[in-house]
Amino acid sequence: MALDLGLKGKVALVTASSRGLGRAIAHRLAGEGAKVAVCSRDQARVEETAQTIAEQTGAEVFPVVADVSRAESVNKLIDEVVGRWGRIDVLVCNAGGPPSGTFEMFDDEVWQRAFETNLLSVVRLVRAALPHMSKGGKIITIASTSVKQPIPGLILSNTMRAGVAGLMKSLAEELAPRGILVNTVCPGRIATDRVQELDESFAAKKGVSVEEVRRAVSAQIPLGRYGEPDEFARVVAFLASDANTYVTGQALMIDGGMVKAL
Ligand SMILES: NC(=O)c1ccc[n+]([C@@H]2O[C@H](COP(=O)([O-])OP(=O)(O)OC[C@H]3O[C@@H](n4cnc5c(N)ncnc54)[C@H](OP(=O)(O)O)[C@@H]3O)[C@@H](O)[C@H]2O)c1
């Protein structure tokens, strides 16, 4: 029997989706026939994203300018999506990553910004979207493999992602009676602009080339390479789909085997 994802006609909102993982997920969901709202803080970029995905998939793609770290922007985003399509079937919470660095580099202001961008944004998105979601709905948040194995030099991310994983695990239980499935997806090393920037900054710090950094990191990954954004997006598409009826409360590593923990 063919595996029908059943995403045709579903309404999906993918935040922080003008580049990288968010964009790849939006593209994949649109390719499977969903109506997809995309957002980012930059109007030109988000409009270009919507236009490109719509042209390449034939799907309806709705661009919204929104900053997920701000409460009023999140509420406006949900209002706009619901105003257009009347409901939300799939919510994918994503945001830009916090700056890299170690404990003594950051004051309260930076911690607060990381909290609002990477943890409170998820709380606000779920709170605003829930009244518009029903049985069969899916909530997916992008975190990091740091939820299992903290990454040296990424203390802000390590801390906020653990909070997200705890939030999502709790929500999975609270929302199960309503038939809404909740999962966290954890990228290891997926080739996006963000990862390129992290590699460049690490290379500069160590005085080596970016290629050397990439080679050394790839050697830590059993599959021997960085992942491609669509390899990540395909897993999210399954979790978001009607084919997923029994996976909830999971933090799933999508990392080519990089994390060694059980
Ligand atoms: N790629 C990986 O392997 C990897 C590994 C671990 C964790 N992650 C995490 O996964 C998330 C996505 O990573 P990525 O590699 O796809 O990043 P990316 O290539 O830097 O893309 C980030 C996207 O988020 C948007 N964005 C950033 N801040 C936003 C905000 N406050 N409100 C709305 N949109 C916002 C950006 O658009 P604008 O700038 O136009 O707003 C852009 O579209 C990040 O949190 C990252 O830390 C990624």
Side-chain angles (χ1 to χ4, degrees), residues 16 18-19 21 40-41 67-68 94-95 97 161 190 192 194:
S18 66
R19 283 182 285 136
L21 302 179
S40 99
R41 296 163 300 179
D67 180 344
V68 296
N94 182 35
R161 309 302 188 183
I190 313 291
T192 64
R194 156 99 175 158

Side-chain angles (χ1 to χ4, degrees), residues 11 17 33 54 78 90 95 105 119 125 133 137 189 194 215 244 251:
V11 174
S17 45
I78 300 293
V90 175
M105 291 168 61
L119 176 50
L125 281 163
M133 297 187 77
R189 220 64 190 169
R194 156 99 175 158
R215 254 198 310 278
N244 174 22

Side-chain angles (χ1 to χ4, degrees), residues 7-241:
L7 281 163
K8 219 162 257 135
K10 298 279 184 197
V11 174
L13 165 60
V14 184
T15 66
S17 45
S18 66
R19 283 182 285 136
L21 302 179
R23 182 175 175 134
I25 293 165
H27 199 133
R28 172 54 57 182
L29 295 177
E32 296 294 334
K35 300 172 191 165
V36 183
V38 291
C39 95
S40 99
R41 296 163 300 179
D42 183 298
Q43 180 157 7
R45 260 207 298 255
V46 81
E47 281 176 0
E48 178 278 322
T49 301
Q51 197 183 337
T52 305
I53 296 178
E55 278 168 13
Q56 293 180 0
T57 63
E60 267 185 80
V61 187
F62 179 35
V64 184
V65 176
D67 180 344
V68 296
S69 68
R70 294 176 43 230
E72 65 280 12
S73 192
V74 167
N75 292 335
K76 190 164 161 284
L77 167 66
I78 300 293
D79 284 351
E80 287 193 44
V81 177
V82 173
R84 186 173 172 121
W85 287 319
R87 64 181 203 280
I88 295 174
D89 301 309
V90 175
L91 171 66
V92 180
C93 304
N94 182 35
S100 59
T102 50
F103 182 75
E104 286 176 307
M105 291 168 61
F106 301 123
D107 59 15
D108 275 6
E109 202 183 311
V110 183
W111 276 98
Q112 185 66 29
R113 209 174 316 126
F115 168 62
E116 293 193 0
T117 304
N118 296 107
L119 176 50
L120 197 51
S121 64
V122 183
V123 174
R124 288 168 169 161
L125 281 163
V126 173
R127 188 193 287 131
L130 259 183
H132 311 287
M133 297 187 77
S134 52
K135 191 168 182 319
K138 304 284 172 10
I139 301 173
I140 296 158
T141 292
I142 300 180
S144 162
T145 51
S146 64
V147 306
K148 275 228 168 160
Q149 186 175 300
I151 301 167
L154 281 181
I155 195 156
L156 294 169
S157 174
N158 293 342
T159 307
M160 298 309 153
R161 309 302 188 183
V164 166
L167 167 69
M168 296 294 277
K169 188 77 182 171
S170 307
L171 276 176
E173 178 141 7
E174 290 188 20
L175 298 181
R178 290 161 66 169
I180 296 174
L181 307 190
V182 179
N183 289 290
T184 307
V185 282
C186 302
R189 220 64 190 169
I190 313 291
T192 64
D193 293 351
R194 156 99 175 158
V195 160
Q196 179 68 20
E197 282 157 22
L198 288 173
D199 285 352
E200 281 169 9
S201 114
F202 190 71
K205 231 175 274 163
K206 295 279 168 199
V208 297
S209 70
V210 182
E211 290 67 39
E212 279 173 84
V213 171
R214 261 187 104 117
R215 254 198 310 278
V217 176
S218 297
Q220 303 298 313
I221 302 172
L223 289 183
R225 61 176 176 84
Y226 287 20
E228 290 302 322
D230 187 56
E231 295 184 282
F232 187 85
R234 291 202 297 269
V235 180
V236 176
F238 167 74
L239 291 173
S241 74

